[in-house]
Amino acid sequence: MRADLSGGATHDVVVVGAGVAGALLAKRLTTAGLRVLVLEAGPETPWSFEGYARHLDSFFAATSKGAESAWPPAVGAPQPDSRDVRSGDGYFVQRGPQPYGSTYTRAQGGSTLHWLGVSLRMLPEDFALRSRYGVGRDWPLDYQTLEPYYRQAELEIGVAADVADQTYHGIEFAPGYDYPMQRIPQSYSDLTLAAAVDGMETTIGDSPISVRIRSYPAARNSIPRNGFRPVGAVDARTDGQALARDLGQRCAGNTACTPICPIQAKYNAGKSLAQADRSRLQVLAQAVASKILVDAGSGLVQGVEYKRYDDPRSARHAVHVARARVYVLAAHAVENAKLMLASGLLGTSGMVGRNLMDHPSIYGWGLAPTPVGAFRGPQSTSGIDDARSGAFRSQHAAFRVDIGNDGWRATTGAPDTTVTEAVNQGLYGVELLTHLRTRLSRQVRFSLNVEQLASPDNRVTIDPQFIDPLGNPRPVIHYDIDDYSLAGMAAAKRFYQAVFARAGIDDRSDPATGVWFPTVTYEGEEFHYHGMGHFAGTHIMGDDSSTSVVDVDQRSWEHRNLFLVGSGSFPSMGTSNPTLTLAALALRTADQLETGLRG
Amino acid sequence: MASTYLDELDALLPASLLDRILNAYSATTDQPGDEHLKAILDDPDLGPIARNIIVMWFCGTWTALPAEWRSRNDAAEDSTHVVSPAAYQAGLQWVAAGAHPAGARQQGFGAWSTEPPGTTS
């Protein structure tokens, strides 16, 4: 359907971006009786399960099975790709000094199409980093203010966890609360590791740490609590059905959270769109927002110009304008900043695009002394959270450990590379099979995700030299990793080595033979780091318009009918992945919008 | 999958070379010991094909042959690629791991908590 909305406001709210933040807003606002138009830059993700399943074949057939392999981009909405980090010639213009290692997906559903599903709350102390540790920035709100929205977000995206596991480092839950679903069972690998290392005492800086292998909250369907109905696969039909009645209501262990859950047992933003009041919702895919039109006098937004393309393989497009009473940018931390800059909306603080963060992370991989059942189950089911808090945070970064269930897939390209290496060594027949049997099932992988503070020098800019096929600017990225994070990285390395040693895991971490990752040097030691896809900080939130882009409600200081939502609003990210927190913030903003627009 | 793999070889290799490796293998089937198989693997022309076939069985992927090998054997240019979605899923590596192909043949809720094959043997 082609909509010409240039004649005036036919919607209450225009939302740019059909990722998790935009979809949650669309669901919440349409259910409250408001009319919402969602502009999605990328292709539509099929509303039918049959259409979705075709993306699975793209993954099966792809030589490189990275996060993007199931979700090829459109010409009109290019996206960063993991392979570009090495070649340096992708969608991002990498200005260094270090390459930014993360990617995202521009399609209906956004990066939730291929996220792992980790749904950690931030620690209460993460909201007050400056006050508590003298580093980074404080948030303009505290954990207690966000707590009710964390609960709502856990319900909306369907999080499986047990409060009994998640009450640590000051995290508190409302009395009587537990997650909508029981925790996802921990893997045999987790349980084996826990038997070997739980209770192990070590130190990070001067802080004593007692190690525990801990289940983490995951947006994957599990056994429901208290009458909660798990939301399965999106499967819209002409009879009005939006969601499959039975499919995808339990994780079945496909070991493919990234890049595609074959049965949609893991949350993706399409589920929230499917649950919106569809009579009040219009989702326009292949519509790339290109400029925010602002009244020079009042600063109010008057429309969003967008470029609509019919063919994902072509740059041919037509230009339209969407109008509403309120505008929400939910396009992604980088895309939100890029759109503001492309519209000349630099703000008085000069902070648009600045303070770009990630979790620069290192891998440790090894062989367990006995088979642990690698390559089974969700790609991870447990982590180590003990180094997320401690007095050392005044000196160096905290970190969180993700423990893999998928062998050395991410670090060496296993199991394929394990096979080719053995075959090239001359193994065949029974000898080859025996070799693989004794190796593959014992593969263990840790990813150690290191905190990064907001720095104005890490930023997204635009440059008229660098445009995409639709004539929109490509993000120009300036990125470095400071000593605070590097010292945390060094501590993380010592930590995993100690845990491996305790568990009898033979450390096989050898970046020279593993997958290529960019390097950084600290105190003479070289680290190979990867991005976690955890973009944050590009439209930072604060209580002072001279130092932030949005206020505590994610509302632009200069343009009062414009909201910028997502992890771009984060003043700090701590050690949790941003999805649950940005979902909670989006729901809080939805409350403000609902009150404002209906009042 | 045998016919898929054979079709793949037909499309990628000169017929004479394919005949050579098939005949060389047929000649070994009734012979004791591994000497004839080793001879195939050590052969400068047949060895790379044999190893590629083993990798194809295990991973479902054809690996690009070295340029030097191709020019010597008059083979067309090839590239590393997944033979087909079905070949990926049929990879023997998943069996060897005691697991399942990522994204296919789901093992069921909680199966990942159970002891993997080979633990107690």
Side-chain angles (χ1 to χ4, degrees), chain A residues 347-421:
Chain A
T348 50
S349 68
M351 286 291 141
V352 175
R354 293 186 183 270
N355 303 303
L356 175 66
M357 292 173 263
D358 192 358
H359 287 130
S361 302
I362 57 169
Y363 283 126
W365 64 99
L367 279 180
T370 56
V372 294
F375 301 101
R376 305 183 309 164
Q379 281 155 333
S380 82
T381 38
S382 292
I384 302 173
D385 298 271
D386 304 301
R388 294 177 63 195
S389 169
F392 64 83
R393 292 186 83 181
S394 61
Q395 305 299 319
H396 69 68
F399 59 91
R400 181 180 177 273
V401 186
D402 177 80
I403 304 168
N405 290 331
D406 55 351
W408 299 348
R409 181 186 66 89
T411 60
T412 69
D416 299 52
T417 47
T418 312
V419 173
T420 49
E421 197 179 291

Side-chain angles (χ1 to χ4, degrees), chain B residues 43-112:
Chain B
D43 184 289
D45 294 329
L46 300 187
I49 304 176
R51 283 187 285 279
N52 255 19
I53 291 171
I54 298 173
V55 169
M56 190 162 64
W57 289 337
F58 275 83
C59 306
T61 300
W62 178 260
T63 312
L65 288 159
E68 159 274 319
W69 182 96
R70 272 191 285 109
S71 65
R72 194 173 66 238
N73 286 284
D74 199 24
E77 184 156 351
D78 60 353
S79 62
T80 299
H81 64 275
V82 176
V83 172
S84 70
Y88 161 78
Q89 292 171 69
L92 296 175
Q93 59 185 346
W94 309 111
V95 180
H100 69 101
R105 295 194 208 142
Q106 57 189 36
Q107 296 185 306
F109 183 74
W112 54 87

Side-chain angles (χ1 to χ4, degrees), chain A residues 112-132:
Chain A
T112 59
L113 292 168
H114 59 66
W115 72 315
L116 186 56
V118 183
S119 299
L120 294 158
R121 294 183 177 199
M122 282 175 60
L123 306 180
E125 67 182 49
D126 292 336
F127 293 87
L129 212 50
R130 168 64 55 181
S131 312
R132 181 95 183 255

